[in-house]
Amino acid sequence: MKIKSLKIKPFNQKPLFILIAAIVSPQAYAEDTISLAPVVVTATRTEQNSFDLPVAIDVVEKKDIQDGQLQMLLSESLIRVPGITAQNRNNQAQDPQISSRGFGSRSSFGVRGIRVYVDGIPLTMPDGQGQPGVVDLSAIKSIEVMRSPFSALYGNSSGGVIQMLTEDAPKTAEVGGSVMFGSDNTKRQVLNTTGTSENIEYLLNVSNFETDGYREHGASKKQAVTAKFKINFDEDTKITTLVNWFDQNAQDPSGLPRTAVNTPTEKTPSAFDNPTGVTSAAVKADTRVSRSHTQVGFNLTHALNENNAINATAYVGSRENEQTLATNAVGTNARASVISREFYGTDLRWDNKGEIFNKSYSLSFGLNYGKSSDSRLDTNILSAGLPVKTLNRDEDNIVSNFDEYIQGKLSILDNVDLHAGVRHTNVKLEVKDKFITGAGANGNNSGSVEYQKNTPVIGAVWKVTPTFNLYANYGRGFETPTFVEAAFTTTGTNSTPNLALKPSESRNMEVGAKAFISDNTQANLNLFRITTKDELVISNSLNGRTVYTNANDTKRTGVELSVDSQFANNISTYFSYALLNAKFDSDFTNSTVPPVTIKSGNYIPGTYKTQLYGELAWKYSPLGFSTAFEGRHNSKAYVNDTNTDAAPSYTIFNVRAGFEQKLASWSFSEFLRVENVFDKNYIGSVRVNDGNLRFFEPASDRNFLLSLNANYKF
């Protein structure tokens, strides 16, 4: 398969979806109304209406996760949330690029700066490495996304919190299945069963996915299983067991240089100097990843009485990850990085609620412990184009955390609630070097480093009227280096671990408003300011090795807006807008050769100043028909700290449509999704500070997905 030249044009026309904002008005005659904001658990750890919380938190519902979606990546669903950047890299060897208000934009592997959970069970390791690909989205009913300073109450690396909640079991048994077909020979099959047997609720979801990939050398296969069992001993005591497993093999097409994505001219009608859309280094070194993951989590809830309850969460798991990386620009040298991980953890919490001086309150006290141990081997497997097997790294990477936290709410007035909390976090990274003697050994690099910090938060919500709330909050954040970030001090062959990195510390302020403009429209607006000291950034990334450093001071200011409306005749609109100014706030020098001074005022690479998402949807119930037109705009994103190159802005449109039928105990549905309807060429994601200047990962041209689904209720 060949990919055509990227005809990247400046954004010189007003996106159609901006008009959606003009549609939203209280004058519409609504048949469907929005009467309540979603109930969430992430902000306070107990169920509460999101409208009455002093935090920026959004809920992505099941229909937006599953209807007309491949259900493989979080980026499919999170693009609608203001303040969240969720980029599909068209590269199954890498997790999607997800950042919250710029936190996590530096990530080369996995998700950083954001804590990820499923049903309260962490998918983020104690050092901050997040692996959202563990969960099959076909089993998810909703996703809660919190971006406020209150994210700090989840501990290290919590610039934001993403929590996925699995489906609830119905009273009677159901079985179902889906088959999906799409562009680039993409295929996916899903089988599921769910129900309740006496006092046990169960869910089992099995899926298989394979694709040739949009780009050459981008094929992937993945199988996943999600199982949940909930035992209801009585009304007061429940225990839930959640099992997640997946196995994946994927090729890595790597990034492309600027010369491969320049805008075509009359002199150079084809912009791609590499027509296959993949670097020769990736092909010669056969860059790829093979990974498997198993995790089991338990959650016990027990109500002691009407005012007190306890909650205990425990999890254990293992992960195998083998990645082949090119270690020179032409792919004649390569190495295999093998990580075998064992991890476990627990969270114990006591919830108390009641009244004090006739004012209602709630309190949560908790202890949290986690540990992860990686056995890591790095082996040179290709030298000058010939197979070799030379060990250059053999070590154990061990990380643990022990945290204590308290969080509470007090209704100080009938229409004013005060929320506050504090968390003490202690994180320890330890390297046990086993590659001390022998050819290529570079001495004993064993060592450890310990970080600890108190992160307080406080916020208040003023319920001005029953349909209009104002809020403000303040908090301090804390983020330690992950072992991926502490892996190298240089991009050289015998680089040692970088345990001299400092944690980043931030101060976060936010003010906002939440309103029901009418009985059919809800709007959320917030403004924020975040200052960070010693921010962790990529200093240099070259030939499969990425070096991180601390960047002195950074500052983020921004605005987030969302408007959700339901109109007459089953017409609905949704609009979100995010403005983010994420900049370095002082000079710093990176570790490239020669070193380069990054100037204060430069934009943090990988962040987008402006992001918009709009959706116009319609349902025609007599035929079971639904359709939606989506629009998305991202401004340009710088690819390096020096701001000398950038991925241009883009605007794309998608359309989805489907039918639903019911026949006795059977229900059927069919969905068709067409992405990038107008076949725009654009850069979907970037690789920050790539030393080979391969910054750009092109997005798919026009592509389609067809889904056929059947479900039977007993």
Side-chain angles (χ1 to χ4, degrees), residues 512-528:
K514 302 180 181 183
F516 290 101
I517 299 175
S518 66
D519 63 355
N520 72 312
T521 298
Q522 183 183 355
N524 297 326
L525 172 69
N526 67 71
L527 297 85
F528 62 88

Side-chain angles (χ1 to χ4, degrees), residues 376-634:
R376 175 173 181 167
L377 289 173
D378 271 18
T379 307
N380 294 327
I381 59 173
L382 197 65
S383 178
L386 299 175
V388 296
K389 190 175 182 180
T390 307
L391 184 66
N392 58 51
R393 200 157 187 172
D394 182 3
E395 64 191 33
D396 291 335
N397 296 160
I398 303 168
V399 58
S400 62
N401 78 283
F402 182 65
D403 296 10
E404 313 89 41
Y405 62 88
I406 179 173
Q407 181 175 358
K409 181 197 82 169
L410 176 64
S411 298
I412 57 178
L413 297 173
D414 290 341
N415 63 342
V416 177
D417 292 340
L418 180 68
H419 293 252
V422 63
R423 185 176 184 120
H424 173 75
T425 298
N426 183 292
V427 177
K428 182 178 180 180
L429 305 183
E430 183 180 7
V431 175
K432 293 183 178 180
D433 191 359
K434 297 183 287 186
F435 186 49
I436 301 173
T437 61
N442 54 359
N444 190 344
N445 294 309
S446 299
S448 65
V449 61
E450 191 169 346
Y451 312 97
Q452 56 181 319
K453 187 69 177 178
N454 293 319
T455 52
V457 298
I458 187 170
V461 57
W462 175 26
K463 304 169 186 177
V464 183
T465 73
T467 59
F468 179 52
N469 289 351
L470 294 173
Y471 71 89
N473 55 49
Y474 170 83
R476 295 189 177 185
F478 174 63
E479 183 175 2
T480 71
T482 68
F483 261 120
V484 169
E485 294 163 347
F488 304 109
T489 52
T490 71
T491 57
T493 302
N494 292 322
S495 177
T496 59
N498 188 3
L499 297 180
L501 286 172
K502 294 181 285 187
S504 64
E505 301 178 11
S506 60
R507 299 189 176 193
N508 310 268
M509 292 175 284
E510 178 182 273
V511 295
K514 302 180 181 183
F516 290 101
I517 299 175
S518 66
D519 63 355
N520 72 312
T521 298
Q522 183 183 355
N524 297 326
L525 172 69
N526 67 71
L527 297 85
F528 62 88
R529 181 178 186 271
I530 305 169
T531 57
T532 305
K533 182 176 179 61
D534 295 322
E535 175 137 353
L536 291 157
V537 298
I538 294 176
S539 180
N540 193 17
S541 183
L542 185 66
N543 301 328
R545 293 181 174 86
T546 302
V547 178
Y548 289 79
T549 190
N550 294 104
N552 296 336
D553 302 322
T554 62
K555 181 168 67 175
R556 296 167 170 85
T557 57
V559 178
E560 296 165 358
L561 168 69
S562 66
V563 182
D564 191 0
S565 299
Q566 303 285 340
F567 297 104
N569 301 314
N570 289 317
I571 296 174
S572 64
T573 62
Y574 177 81
F575 173 81
S576 67
Y577 167 78
L579 173 67
L580 173 65
N581 281 298
K583 297 182 178 181
F584 296 107
D585 207 31
S586 64
D587 295 351
F588 79 97
T589 302
N590 64 21
S591 62
T592 57
V593 180
V596 175
T597 297
I598 310 303
K599 296 294 184 180
S600 174
N602 281 11
Y603 283 90
I604 297 174
T607 63
Y608 297 83
K609 183 175 182 179
T610 303
Q611 294 186 97
L612 298 102
Y613 175 86
E615 178 180 293
L616 173 63
W618 175 56
K619 291 182 180 180
Y620 186 63
S621 299
L623 291 179
F625 176 73
S626 63
T627 187
F629 184 69
E630 309 167 2
R632 181 184 183 189
H633 170 72
N634 278 24

Side-chain angles (χ1 to χ4, degrees), residues 47 118-121 135-136 138-142 163-170 174 191-197 199-206 224-232 238-245 295-300:
E47 291 187 351
V118 55
D119 290 344
I121 298 168
V135 180
D136 190 334
S138 303
I140 300 300
K141 69 173 182 180
S142 64
Q163 174 147 223
M164 294 170 277
L165 301 173
T166 54
E167 295 268 21
D168 296 320
E174 298 181 14
L191 293 174
N192 57 73
T193 181
T194 181
T196 303
S197 177
N199 62 337
I200 300 177
E201 302 174 21
Y202 61 89
L203 176 149
L204 177 64
N205 193 94
V206 181
V225 176
T226 299
K228 183 172 78 167
F229 304 93
K230 183 177 182 181
I231 304 176
N232 301 293
K238 300 175 176 62
I239 185 169
T240 302
T241 301
L242 182 68
V243 180
N244 298 110
W245 171 89
Q295 181 168 338
V296 182
F298 306 91
N299 181 269
L300 170 68

Side-chain angles (χ1 to χ4, degrees), residues 166-183:
T166 54
E167 295 268 21
D168 296 320
K171 295 297 182 182
T172 58
E174 298 181 14
V175 294
S178 301
V179 291
M180 304 179 192
F181 308 92
S183 301

